[in-house]
Amino acid sequence: MTAAGLLMSPAAAPAAGAATGSPAPECVEHFQGWRYTDVHNGCGDTVSVTVTYTNGQWAPCRVIEPGGRAAFSGYGTEGNHVTGLRTCDPAAVTTDGP
């Protein structure tokens, strides 16, 4: 699945605690599983992204080099699926959670 098909709708609120910007570029993809959501940077440039979830849970801002990967929480037993990937400013996030 690509991020392009799963981007957060403009009316939805960003995850609490994560400084979010615009939708992540289409070359950044995510693959979710029960335990982890793997995000892959297929772009030629470094990106800073966070994940948004159906229940609005907080997610960190991670810097991912070209070709790199980062892991975020998966959907878990409550079915908390990823609704999109957003750009973020890692300097603006000062905590790992609420």
Coordinates of all heavy atoms in Angstrom, one line a residue:
M1 N 0.8 -1.2 0.0 CA 0.0 0.0 0.0 C 0.9 1.2 0.0 O 1.9 1.3 0.7 CB -0.8 0.0 1.3 CG -2.0 -0.8 1.2 SD -3.2 -0.2 2.5 CE -3.1 -1.6 3.5
T2 N 0.5 2.3 -0.7 CA 1.2 3.5 -0.7 C 0.5 4.5 0.2 O -0.7 4.4 0.4 CB 1.4 4.1 -2.1 OG1 0.1 4.4 -2.6 CG2 2.1 3.1 -3.0
A3 N 1.3 5.5 0.6 CA 0.8 6.6 1.4 C -0.3 7.4 0.7 O -1.2 7.9 1.3 CB 1.9 7.5 1.9
A4 N -0.1 7.5 -0.6 CA -1.1 8.3 -1.4 C -2.5 7.8 -1.3 O -3.4 8.7 -1.2 CB -0.7 8.2 -2.9
G5 N -2.7 6.6 -1.2 CA -4.1 6.1 -1.0 C -4.6 6.1 0.4 O -5.8 5.9 0.6
L6 N -3.8 6.4 1.3 CA -4.2 6.4 2.7 C -4.0 7.7 3.5 O -3.9 7.7 4.7 CB -3.4 5.2 3.4 CG -3.7 3.9 2.9 CD1 -2.7 2.9 3.5 CD2 -5.1 3.4 3.1
L7 N -3.9 8.8 2.8 CA -3.6 10.0 3.4 C -4.8 10.5 4.3 O -6.0 10.2 3.9 CB -3.3 11.1 2.4 CG -2.0 10.9 1.7 CD1 -1.7 11.9 0.6 CD2 -0.8 10.9 2.7
M8 N -4.5 11.2 5.3 CA -5.6 11.7 6.2 C -6.4 12.7 5.5 O -5.9 13.6 4.8 CB -4.8 12.3 7.4 CG -5.7 12.7 8.6 SD -4.6 13.1 9.9 CE -5.1 14.8 10.1
S9 N -7.7 12.7 5.8 CA -8.6 13.7 5.2 C -8.3 15.1 5.8 O -8.0 15.2 7.0 CB -10.1 13.3 5.4 OG -10.4 13.5 6.7
P10 N -8.5 16.2 5.1 CA -8.2 17.5 5.6 C -9.1 17.8 6.8 O -8.7 18.6 7.7 CB -8.6 18.4 4.4 CG -8.6 17.6 3.2 CD -8.9 16.2 3.7
A11 N -10.3 17.2 7.0 CA -11.1 17.6 8.1 C -10.7 16.9 9.4 O -11.1 17.2 10.5 CB -12.6 17.2 7.7
A12 N -9.9 15.8 9.3 CA -9.5 15.1 10.5 C -8.4 15.8 11.2 O -7.6 16.5 10.6 CB -9.0 13.7 10.1
A13 N -8.4 15.7 12.5 CA -7.4 16.3 13.4 C -6.1 15.5 13.4 O -6.1 14.3 13.4 CB -7.9 16.5 14.8
P14 N -4.9 16.2 13.5 CA -3.7 15.5 13.6 C -3.5 14.8 15.0 O -4.2 15.2 15.9 CB -2.6 16.6 13.4 CG -3.3 17.9 13.8 CD -4.8 17.7 13.5
A15 N -2.6 13.9 15.0 CA -2.4 13.2 16.3 C -1.9 14.1 17.4 O -1.1 15.0 17.1 CB -1.4 12.1 16.1
A16 N -2.5 14.0 18.6 CA -2.1 14.9 19.7 C -0.6 14.7 20.0 O -0.1 13.6 20.0 CB -2.9 14.5 20.9
G17 N 0.1 15.7 20.2 CA 1.5 15.7 20.6 C 2.5 15.6 19.5 O 3.7 15.8 19.7
A18 N 2.0 15.4 18.3 CA 2.9 15.4 17.1 C 2.7 16.6 16.3 O 1.6 17.0 15.9 CB 2.7 14.1 16.2
A19 N 3.8 17.4 16.0 CA 3.7 18.5 15.2 C 3.7 18.1 13.8 O 4.6 17.6 13.2 CB 5.0 19.4 15.4
T20 N 2.5 18.2 13.2 CA 2.3 17.6 11.8 C 2.1 18.7 10.8 O 1.7 19.8 11.1 CB 1.0 16.7 11.8 OG1 -0.1 17.5 12.2 CG2 1.2 15.5 12.7
G21 N 2.5 18.4 9.6 CA 2.4 19.4 8.5 C 1.5 18.8 7.4 O 0.5 18.3 7.7
S22 N 2.1 18.9 6.2 CA 1.3 18.4 5.0 C 1.4 16.9 4.9 O 2.2 16.2 5.6 CB 1.9 19.1 3.8 OG 3.3 18.8 3.7
P23 N 0.6 16.3 4.0 CA 0.7 14.9 3.8 C 2.2 14.5 3.3 O 2.8 15.3 2.6 CB -0.3 14.6 2.7 CG -1.3 15.7 2.8 CD -0.5 16.9 3.3
A24 N 2.6 13.4 3.7 CA 4.0 12.9 3.3 C 4.0 12.7 1.8 O 3.0 12.4 1.2 CB 4.3 11.6 4.0
P25 N 5.2 12.9 1.2 CA 5.3 12.6 -0.3 C 4.8 11.2 -0.6 O 4.9 10.3 0.2 CB 6.8 12.8 -0.6 CG 7.3 13.5 0.6 CD 6.5 13.2 1.8
E26 N 4.4 11.0 -1.9 CA 3.9 9.7 -2.3 C 5.0 8.6 -2.3 O 4.7 7.4 -2.2 CB 3.3 9.8 -3.7 CG 2.0 10.5 -3.7 CD 1.3 10.5 -5.1 OE1 1.6 9.7 -5.9 OE2 0.5 11.4 -5.3
C27 N 6.2 9.0 -2.3 CA 7.3 8.1 -2.3 C 7.6 7.5 -0.9 O 8.5 6.7 -0.7 CB 8.6 8.7 -2.9 SG 9.0 10.3 -2.2
V28 N 6.9 8.0 0.1 CA 7.0 7.4 1.5 C 5.8 6.5 1.6 O 4.7 6.9 1.5 CB 7.0 8.5 2.5 CG1 7.1 7.9 3.9 CG2 8.1 9.6 2.3
E29 N 6.1 5.2 1.9 CA 5.1 4.2 2.0 C 5.0 3.6 3.4 O 6.0 3.7 4.1 CB 5.3 3.1 1.0 CG 5.5 3.4 -0.4 CD 5.9 2.3 -1.2 OE1 7.0 1.8 -1.0 OE2 5.1 1.9 -2.1
H30 N 3.8 3.1 3.8 CA 3.7 2.4 5.0 C 3.1 1.0 4.8 O 2.3 0.9 3.9 CB 3.0 3.2 6.1 CG 1.5 3.2 5.9 ND1 0.9 4.1 5.1 CD2 0.6 2.5 6.5 CE1 -0.4 3.9 5.2 NE2 -0.6 2.9 6.0
F31 N 3.5 0.1 5.7 CA 3.0 -1.3 5.7 C 2.6 -1.6 7.1 O 3.5 -1.6 8.0 CB 4.0 -2.2 5.1 CG 4.6 -1.8 3.8 CD1 5.8 -1.0 3.8 CD2 4.0 -2.1 2.6 CE1 6.3 -0.5 2.6 CE2 4.6 -1.7 1.4 CZ 5.7 -0.9 1.4
Q32 N 1.4 -1.8 7.4 CA 1.0 -2.0 8.8 C 0.7 -3.5 9.1 O 0.2 -4.2 8.3 CB -0.1 -1.1 9.3 CG -1.4 -1.1 8.4 CD -2.4 -0.1 9.0 OE1 -2.5 0.0 10.2 NE2 -3.1 0.5 8.1
G33 N 1.0 -3.8 10.3 CA 0.8 -5.1 10.9 C 0.2 -5.0 12.3 O 0.1 -3.9 12.8
W34 N 0.0 -6.1 12.9 CA -0.6 -6.1 14.3 C 0.3 -5.4 15.2 O -0.2 -4.5 16.0 CB -0.9 -7.5 14.7 CG -1.4 -7.6 16.1 CD1 -2.7 -7.4 16.5 CD2 -0.6 -7.8 17.3 NE1 -2.8 -7.6 17.8 CE2 -1.5 -7.8 18.4 CE3 0.7 -8.0 17.6 CZ2 -1.2 -8.0 19.7 CZ3 1.1 -8.2 18.9 CH2 0.2 -8.2 19.9
R35 N 1.6 -5.6 15.2 CA 2.5 -5.1 16.2 C 3.2 -3.8 15.7 O 3.4 -2.9 16.5 CB 3.5 -6.1 16.6 CG 4.3 -5.7 17.7 CD 5.1 -6.8 18.3 NE 5.7 -6.4 19.5 CZ 6.2 -7.1 20.4 NH1 6.1 -8.4 20.3 NH2 6.8 -6.6 21.5
Y36 N 3.6 -3.7 14.5 CA 4.4 -2.6 14.0 C 3.8 -2.0 12.7 O 3.2 -2.8 11.9 CB 5.8 -2.9 13.7 CG 6.6 -3.4 15.0 CD1 6.9 -4.7 15.2 CD2 6.9 -2.5 15.9 CE1 7.5 -5.1 16.3 CE2 7.6 -2.9 17.1 CZ 7.9 -4.2 17.3 OH 8.5 -4.6 18.4
T37 N 4.0 -0.8 12.4 CA 3.8 -0.1 11.1 C 5.2 0.3 10.6 O 5.9 1.0 11.3 CB 2.9 1.1 11.2 OG1 1.6 0.7 11.7 CG2 2.8 1.8 9.9
D38 N 5.6 -0.3 9.5 CA 6.9 0.0 8.9 C 6.7 1.1 7.9 O 5.8 1.0 7.0 CB 7.4 -1.3 8.2 CG 8.8 -1.1 7.6 OD1 9.7 -0.5 8.3 OD2 9.0 -1.6 6.5
V39 N 7.5 2.1 8.0 CA 7.5 3.2 7.0 C 8.8 3.2 6.3 O 9.9 3.2 6.8 CB 7.3 4.6 7.8 CG1 7.3 5.7 6.8 CG2 5.9 4.6 8.5
H40 N 8.7 3.2 4.9 CA 9.8 3.2 4.0 C 9.9 4.5 3.3 O 9.0 5.0 2.7 CB 9.7 2.0 3.1 CG 10.8 2.0 2.0 ND1 10.6 2.4 0.7 CD2 12.1 1.8 2.1 CE1 11.7 2.3 0.1 NE2 12.7 1.9 0.9
N41 N 11.1 5.1 3.3 CA 11.4 6.3 2.5 C 11.9 6.0 1.1 O 13.1 5.7 1.0 CB 12.3 7.3 3.2 CG 12.6 8.5 2.4 OD1 12.0 8.8 1.4 ND2 13.5 9.3 2.9
G42 N 11.1 6.0 0.1 CA 11.5 5.7 -1.3 C 11.9 6.9 -2.0 O 12.1 6.9 -3.2
C43 N 12.0 8.1 -1.3 CA 12.3 9.3 -1.9 C 13.8 9.5 -2.1 O 14.6 8.8 -1.4 CB 11.8 10.5 -1.1 SG 10.0 10.5 -0.7
G44 N 14.3 10.4 -2.8 CA 15.7 10.7 -3.0 C 16.2 11.7 -1.9 O 17.4 11.9 -1.8
D45 N 15.3 12.2 -1.1 CA 15.7 13.1 0.0 C 15.3 12.6 1.4 O 14.4 11.8 1.5 CB 15.0 14.5 -0.2 CG 15.4 15.2 -1.5 OD1 16.6 15.3 -1.7 OD2 14.5 15.7 -2.2
T46 N 15.9 13.1 2.4 CA 15.6 12.7 3.8 C 14.2 13.3 4.1 O 13.9 14.4 3.7 CB 16.6 13.3 4.8 OG1 17.9 12.6 4.5 CG2 16.2 13.0 6.2
V47 N 13.4 12.6 4.8 CA 12.0 13.1 5.2 C 11.8 12.9 6.7 O 12.4 12.1 7.3 CB 10.9 12.3 4.4 CG1 10.9 12.6 2.9 CG2 10.9 10.9 4.7
S48 N 11.0 13.8 7.2 CA 10.6 13.7 8.6 C 9.1 13.4 8.6 O 8.3 14.3 8.1 CB 10.9 15.0 9.4 OG 12.3 15.2 9.4
V49 N 8.7 12.3 9.2 CA 7.3 11.9 9.1 C 6.8 11.4 10.4 O 7.5 11.0 11.3 CB 7.0 10.9 8.0 CG1 7.3 11.4 6.6 CG2 7.7 9.6 8.3
T50 N 5.5 11.5 10.6 CA 4.8 10.9 11.7 C 3.6 10.1 11.1 O 3.2 10.3 10.0 CB 4.3 11.9 12.8 OG1 3.8 11.2 13.9 CG2 3.3 12.9 12.2
V51 N 2.9 9.3 11.9 CA 1.8 8.5 11.5 C 0.6 9.0 12.2 O 0.6 9.4 13.4 CB 1.9 7.0 11.8 CG1 1.4 6.2 10.7 CG2 3.3 6.6 12.1
T52 N -0.6 9.0 11.5 CA -1.8 9.4 12.2 C -2.7 8.1 12.3 O -2.6 7.2 11.4 CB -2.6 10.5 11.4 OG1 -2.8 10.1 10.1 CG2 -1.8 11.8 11.5
Y53 N -3.4 7.9 13.4 CA -4.2 6.7 13.7 C -5.7 7.0 13.8 O -6.0 8.2 14.1 CB -3.7 6.1 15.0 CG -2.3 5.6 14.9 CD1 -1.2 6.4 15.4 CD2 -2.0 4.3 14.5 CE1 0.1 5.9 15.4 CE2 -0.7 3.8 14.5 CZ 0.3 4.6 14.9 OH 1.6 4.1 14.9
T54 N -6.5 6.0 13.6 CA -7.9 6.2 13.7 C -8.4 6.7 15.0 O -9.4 7.5 15.1 CB -8.7 4.8 13.4 OG1 -8.2 3.8 14.2 CG2 -8.5 4.4 12.0
N55 N -7.7 6.4 16.1 CA -8.1 6.9 17.4 C -7.3 8.1 17.9 O -7.5 8.6 19.0 CB -8.0 5.8 18.5 CG -6.5 5.5 18.9 OD1 -5.6 6.1 18.4 ND2 -6.4 4.7 19.9
G56 N -6.5 8.7 17.0 CA -5.8 10.0 17.3 C -4.6 9.8 18.2 O -4.1 10.8 18.8
Q57 N -4.1 8.6 18.5 CA -3.0 8.3 19.4 C -1.8 9.1 18.9 O -1.6 9.3 17.7 CB -2.7 6.9 19.5 CG -1.6 6.3 18.7 CD -1.4 4.8 19.0 OE1 -2.2 4.1 19.4 NE2 -0.2 4.4 18.6
W58 N -1.0 9.5 19.9 CA 0.3 10.2 19.6 C 1.3 9.3 18.9 O 1.3 8.1 19.2 CB 0.9 10.7 21.0 CG 2.1 11.4 20.8 CD1 2.3 12.8 20.6 CD2 3.5 10.9 20.8 NE1 3.6 13.1 20.5 CE2 4.4 12.0 20.6 CE3 4.0 9.6 21.0 CZ2 5.7 11.8 20.6 CZ3 5.4 9.4 20.9 CH2 6.2 10.5 20.7
A59 N 2.1 9.8 18.0 CA 3.1 9.1 17.3 C 4.3 10.1 17.2 O 4.2 11.3 17.0 CB 2.7 8.6 16.0
P60 N 5.6 9.5 17.4 CA 6.7 10.4 17.3 C 7.0 10.9 15.9 O 6.5 10.3 14.9 CB 7.9 9.5 17.7 CG 7.4 8.1 17.4 CD 5.9 8.1 17.6
C61 N 7.8 11.9 15.7 CA 8.3 12.4 14.5 C 9.6 11.7 14.2 O 10.5 11.8 15.1 CB 8.4 13.9 14.5 SG 9.1 14.6 13.0
R62 N 9.8 11.0 13.1 CA 11.0 10.3 12.8 C 11.6 10.8 11.6 O 10.9 11.0 10.6 CB 10.7 8.8 12.7 CG 10.1 8.2 14.0 CD 10.4 6.7 14.0 NE 9.6 6.0 15.0 CZ 9.9 5.8 16.2 NH1 11.0 6.3 16.7 NH2 9.1 5.2 17.1
V63 N 12.9 11.0 11.6 CA 13.7 11.4 10.4 C 14.2 10.1 9.7 O 14.8 9.2 10.3 CB 14.9 12.2 10.8 CG1 15.7 12.6 9.6 CG2 14.4 13.5 11.6
I64 N 13.9 10.0 8.4 CA 14.2 8.8 7.7 C 15.0 9.2 6.4 O 14.6 9.9 5.6 CB 12.9 8.0 7.2 CG1 12.0 7.8 8.4 CG2 13.3 6.7 6.6 CD1 10.6 7.3 8.0
E65 N 16.2 8.6 6.4 CA 17.1 8.9 5.2 C 16.6 8.2 4.0 O 15.7 7.2 4.1 CB 18.5 8.3 5.5 CG 19.2 8.9 6.7 CD 19.6 10.3 6.5 OE1 20.0 10.6 5.4 OE2 19.6 11.1 7.5
P66 N 17.0 8.6 2.8 CA 16.6 8.0 1.5 C 16.8 6.4 1.6 O 17.9 6.0 2.0 CB 17.4 8.6 0.4 CG 17.8 9.9 1.0 CD 17.9 9.7 2.5
G67 N 15.8 5.6 1.2 CA 16.0 4.2 1.3 C 15.8 3.6 2.7 O 15.8 2.4 2.8
G68 N 15.7 4.5 3.7 CA 15.6 4.0 5.1 C 14.2 3.6 5.5 O 13.2 3.8 4.8
R69 N 14.1 3.0 6.7 CA 12.9 2.6 7.3 C 12.8 3.0 8.7 O 13.8 3.2 9.4 CB 12.8 1.1 7.2 CG 12.7 0.5 5.8 CD 12.5 -1.0 5.8 NE 12.5 -1.5 4.4 CZ 11.4 -1.5 3.7 NH1 10.3 -1.0 4.1 NH2 11.4 -1.9 2.4
A70 N 11.6 3.1 9.2 CA 11.3 3.4 10.6 C 10.1 2.7 11.1 O 9.2 2.4 10.3 CB 11.1 4.9 10.8
A71 N 10.1 2.3 12.3 CA 8.9 1.5 12.9 C 8.1 2.4 13.8 O 8.6 3.1 14.6 CB 9.4 0.3 13.6
F72 N 6.8 2.2 13.7 CA 5.8 2.9 14.5 C 4.9 1.8 15.1 O 5.0 0.7 14.6 CB 5.0 3.9 13.7 CG 5.8 5.1 13.2 CD1 6.5 5.0 12.0 CD2 5.8 6.3 13.9 CE1 7.2 6.1 11.5 CE2 6.5 7.4 13.4 CZ 7.2 7.3 12.3
S73 N 4.0 2.2 16.0 CA 3.1 1.2 16.5 C 2.2 0.6 15.4 O 1.8 1.3 14.5 CB 2.2 1.9 17.6 OG 2.9 2.3 18.7
G74 N 1.8 -0.6 15.6 CA 0.9 -1.3 14.7 C -0.6 -1.0 15.1 O -0.8 -0.2 16.0
Y75 N -1.5 -1.8 14.5 CA -2.9 -1.6 14.8 C -3.3 -2.2 16.1 O -4.4 -1.9 16.6 CB -3.8 -2.0 13.6 CG -3.6 -3.3 13.0 CD1 -4.2 -4.4 13.6 CD2 -2.9 -3.5 11.9 CE1 -4.0 -5.7 13.1 CE2 -2.7 -4.7 11.3 CZ -3.3 -5.8 11.9 OH -3.1 -7.1 11.4
G76 N -2.6 -3.2 16.6 CA -2.9 -3.8 17.9 C -4.2 -4.5 18.0 O -4.9 -4.7 17.0
T77 N -4.6 -4.8 19.2 CA -5.8 -5.6 19.5 C -7.1 -4.7 19.3 O -8.2 -5.3 19.2 CB -5.8 -6.2 20.9 OG1 -5.6 -5.1 21.9 CG2 -4.6 -7.2 21.1
E78 N -6.9 -3.4 19.4 CA -8.1 -2.5 19.2 C -8.4 -2.1 17.8 O -9.3 -1.4 17.5 CB -7.9 -1.3 20.1 CG -7.6 -1.5 21.5 CD -8.9 -2.1 22.2 OE1 -10.0 -1.7 22.0 OE2 -8.7 -3.1 23.0
G79 N -7.6 -2.6 16.8 CA -7.8 -2.3 15.4 C -7.5 -0.8 15.1 O -8.2 -0.2 14.3
N80 N -6.5 -0.2 15.8 CA -6.2 1.2 15.6 C -5.3 1.4 14.4 O -4.1 1.5 14.4 CB -5.4 1.7 16.9 CG -5.2 3.2 16.8 OD1 -5.9 3.9 16.2 ND2 -4.1 3.6 17.5
H81 N -5.9 1.5 13.2 CA -5.2 1.5 11.9 C -4.7 2.9 11.6 O -5.2 3.9 12.1 CB -6.2 1.1 10.8 CG -6.5 -0.3 10.9 ND1 -5.7 -1.3 10.5 CD2 -7.6 -1.0 11.4 CE1 -6.2 -2.5 10.7 NE2 -7.4 -2.3 11.3
V82 N -3.6 2.9 10.8 CA -3.0 4.1 10.3 C -3.9 4.8 9.3 O -4.4 4.1 8.4 CB -1.6 3.8 9.7 CG1 -1.0 5.1 9.0 CG2 -0.7 3.3 10.7
T83 N -4.2 6.1 9.4 CA -5.0 6.8 8.5 C -4.2 7.6 7.5 O -4.7 8.1 6.5 CB -6.0 7.7 9.2 OG1 -5.3 8.7 10.0 CG2 -7.0 7.0 10.0
G84 N -2.9 7.8 7.8 CA -2.0 8.6 6.9 C -0.6 8.8 7.5 O -0.4 8.5 8.6
L85 N 0.2 9.4 6.6 CA 1.5 9.8 7.0 C 1.6 11.3 6.8 O 1.1 11.8 5.7 CB 2.6 9.1 6.1 CG 2.6 7.6 6.1 CD1 3.5 7.1 5.1 CD2 3.0 7.1 7.5
R86 N 2.2 12.0 7.7 CA 2.3 13.5 7.6 C 3.7 13.9 7.8 O 4.5 13.3 8.6 CB 1.4 14.2 8.7 CG 0.0 13.7 8.8 CD -0.9 14.3 7.9 NE -1.1 15.7 8.0 CZ -1.8 16.5 7.1 NH1 -2.3 15.9 6.1 NH2 -1.9 17.8 7.3
T87 N 4.1 15.0 7.2 CA 5.4 15.6 7.5 C 5.4 16.2 8.9 O 4.3 16.6 9.4 CB 5.8 16.6 6.4 OG1 4.9 17.7 6.5 CG2 5.9 16.0 5.0
C88 N 6.6 16.3 9.5 CA 6.6 16.9 10.8 C 8.0 17.6 11.0 O 8.9 17.3 10.2 CB 6.4 15.9 11.9 SG 7.5 14.4 11.8
D89 N 8.1 18.3 12.1 CA 9.4 19.0 12.4 C 9.9 18.3 13.7 O 9.4 18.5 14.8 CB 9.1 20.5 12.7 CG 10.4 21.2 13.1 OD1 11.5 20.6 13.2 OD2 10.3 22.4 13.4
P90 N 11.0 17.5 13.6 CA 11.5 16.8 14.7 C 11.9 17.7 15.9 O 11.9 17.3 17.0 CB 12.6 15.9 14.2 CG 13.0 16.5 12.9 CD 11.8 17.2 12.4
A91 N 12.3 18.9 15.5 CA 12.8 19.8 16.6 C 11.6 20.3 17.4 O 11.8 20.7 18.6 CB 13.5 21.0 16.0
A92 N 10.4 20.3 16.9 CA 9.2 20.8 17.6 C 8.6 19.8 18.5 O 7.9 20.2 19.4 CB 8.1 21.2 16.5
V93 N 9.0 18.6 18.5 CA 8.5 17.5 19.4 C 9.5 17.3 20.5 O 10.6 16.9 20.2 CB 8.2 16.2 18.6 CG1 7.7 15.2 19.5 CG2 7.2 16.5 17.5
T94 N 9.1 17.6 21.7 CA 10.0 17.5 22.8 C 9.8 16.3 23.8 O 10.4 16.1 24.8 CB 10.0 18.8 23.6 OG1 8.7 19.0 24.1 CG2 10.5 20.0 22.8
T95 N 8.8 15.5 23.4 CA 8.4 14.4 24.3 C 8.1 13.1 23.5 O 7.8 13.2 22.3 CB 7.2 14.7 25.2 OG1 6.9 13.6 26.0 CG2 6.0 15.0 24.4
D96 N 8.2 12.0 24.1 CA 7.9 10.7 23.4 C 6.4 10.3 23.5 O 6.1 9.2 23.1 CB 8.8 9.6 23.8 CG 10.2 9.7 23.3 OD1 10.4 10.3 22.2 OD2 11.1 9.2 23.9
G97 N 5.7 11.1 24.2 CA 4.3 10.8 24.4 C 3.6 11.8 25.3 O 4.2 12.7 25.8
P98 N 2.3 11.6 25.4 CA 1.5 12.5 26.2 C 1.9 12.5 27.7 O 2.4 11.6 28.2 CB 0.0 12.1 26.0 CG 0.1 10.8 25.2 CD 1.5 10.6 24.8

